[in-house]
Amino acid sequence: MIKEKQKRKAKILLGMLIAVIMTTSIIGFMSGFRGTRYRYKDFKFIFENDMHWIKINNQKIGFHFSPDNVEKIPAEGLENIKSTRMVYISFNTTPNQHLDLARLDLQEKLDLIGIYSIQGSAAANYTFLPQIDCNNATQYVPVIMFTLGNETKIFKTDQNCIIAQARTGIDFLRLKDRIIYETYGIIKNE
């Protein structure tokens, strides 16, 4: 009878010990999973869940690409975005998931810094959005026009239209990140 009680106590203690070890290892694993930290110039980033995160004004902001991955993309005319309170975001190509994500994410991130944007389309067969092309651009309200081309770059036309030209679908996300990094002051066009 005494040996049976001791065996039962030992089993209970062993079970509790295993439960404590499992619980603390799970807690340790979860608290240790905070992504990979790195610096870009004076900015601290965390790479976690396939996104590059930075905290700006107590807001956690995610990017698909790191700043050093997009900083070499030629970019002209982005000062027009930084100096305005409103932009049009449009496209003149057949939309795909990357283009749609880039346009909507650009709108959201510009809104975080007080730049209002209106989505439009210059694609003839995409009529449920307002028709917006480079002719709508003004000095005070530029148009950011996503398009496909032979190389990935950002350039400004004489009409205050900022062309975000992608070579491939995924490049639309790279262009969006390049625009936001510079607009936020993380990448400085020198």
Side-chain angles (χ1 to χ4, degrees), residues 65-114:
F65 295 92
S66 67
D68 56 357
N69 186 285
V70 300
E71 70 183 353
K72 300 265 190 278
I73 294 173
E76 299 171 356
L78 298 183
E79 64 279 353
N80 286 31
I81 298 171
K82 292 188 270 187
S83 65
T84 189
R85 290 281 147 245
M86 181 179 164
V87 298
Y88 293 116
I89 300 172
S90 192
F91 59 96
N92 66 2
T93 186
T94 304
N96 62 46
Q97 66 186 21
H98 296 112
L99 173 59
D100 289 341
L101 181 57
R103 291 183 310 106
L104 296 173
D105 198 30
L106 179 61
Q107 182 175 26
E108 178 185 319
K109 289 190 171 72
L110 289 175
D111 187 53
L112 289 174
I113 58 171

Side-chain angles (χ1 to χ4, degrees), residues 6-26:
Q6 286 176 340
K7 281 185 180 181
R8 197 169 54 198
K9 272 187 179 180
K11 283 183 181 180
I12 290 173
L13 284 173
L14 183 61
M16 289 174 58
L17 180 63
I18 290 172
V20 166
I21 290 171
M22 289 178 68
T23 303
T24 55
S25 63
I26 289 171

Side-chain angles (χ1 to χ4, degrees), residues 61-167:
I61 301 178
F63 295 88
H64 292 91
F65 295 92
S66 67
D68 56 357
N69 186 285
V70 300
E71 70 183 353
K72 300 265 190 278
I73 294 173
E76 299 171 356
L78 298 183
E79 64 279 353
N80 286 31
I81 298 171
K82 292 188 270 187
S83 65
T84 189
R85 290 281 147 245
M86 181 179 164
V87 298
Y88 293 116
I89 300 172
S90 192
F91 59 96
N92 66 2
T93 186
T94 304
N96 62 46
Q97 66 186 21
H98 296 112
L99 173 59
D100 289 341
L101 181 57
R103 291 183 310 106
L104 296 173
D105 198 30
L106 179 61
Q107 182 175 26
E108 178 185 319
K109 289 190 171 72
L110 289 175
D111 187 53
L112 289 174
I113 58 171
I115 299 175
Y116 177 73
S117 60
I118 294 175
Q119 294 280 339
S121 169
N125 59 349
Y126 215 73
T127 57
F128 68 89
L129 287 173
Q131 288 296 114
I132 296 174
D133 61 20
C134 287
N135 292 323
N136 298 102
T138 70
Q139 177 183 357
Y140 303 106
V141 183
V143 170
I144 301 170
M145 179 66 68
F146 285 98
T147 188
L148 283 171
N150 292 334
E151 61 182 301
T152 299
K153 64 182 179 178
I154 301 167
F155 60 96
K156 181 179 160 191
T157 69
D158 294 338
Q159 302 166 288
N160 292 304
C161 190
I162 299 163
I163 307 295
Q165 179 179 289
R167 200 169 55 83

Side-chain angles (χ1 to χ4, degrees), residues 27-91:
I27 291 170
F29 174 77
M30 295 302 281
S31 66
F33 187 70
R34 297 187 197 270
T36 304
R37 297 175 189 278
Y38 68 93
R39 288 179 89 65
Y40 174 82
K41 298 184 180 175
D42 294 332
F43 299 94
K44 296 177 187 174
F45 282 85
I46 296 175
F47 180 70
E48 181 177 55
N49 299 327
D50 292 330
M51 295 288 285
H52 300 267
W53 298 93
I54 188 170
K55 202 170 205 178
I56 299 175
N57 297 331
N58 290 325
Q59 189 95 11
K60 193 174 176 184
I61 301 178
F63 295 88
H64 292 91
F65 295 92
S66 67
D68 56 357
N69 186 285
V70 300
E71 70 183 353
K72 300 265 190 278
I73 294 173
E76 299 171 356
L78 298 183
E79 64 279 353
N80 286 31
I81 298 171
K82 292 188 270 187
S83 65
T84 189
R85 290 281 147 245
M86 181 179 164
V87 298
Y88 293 116
I89 300 172
S90 192
F91 59 96

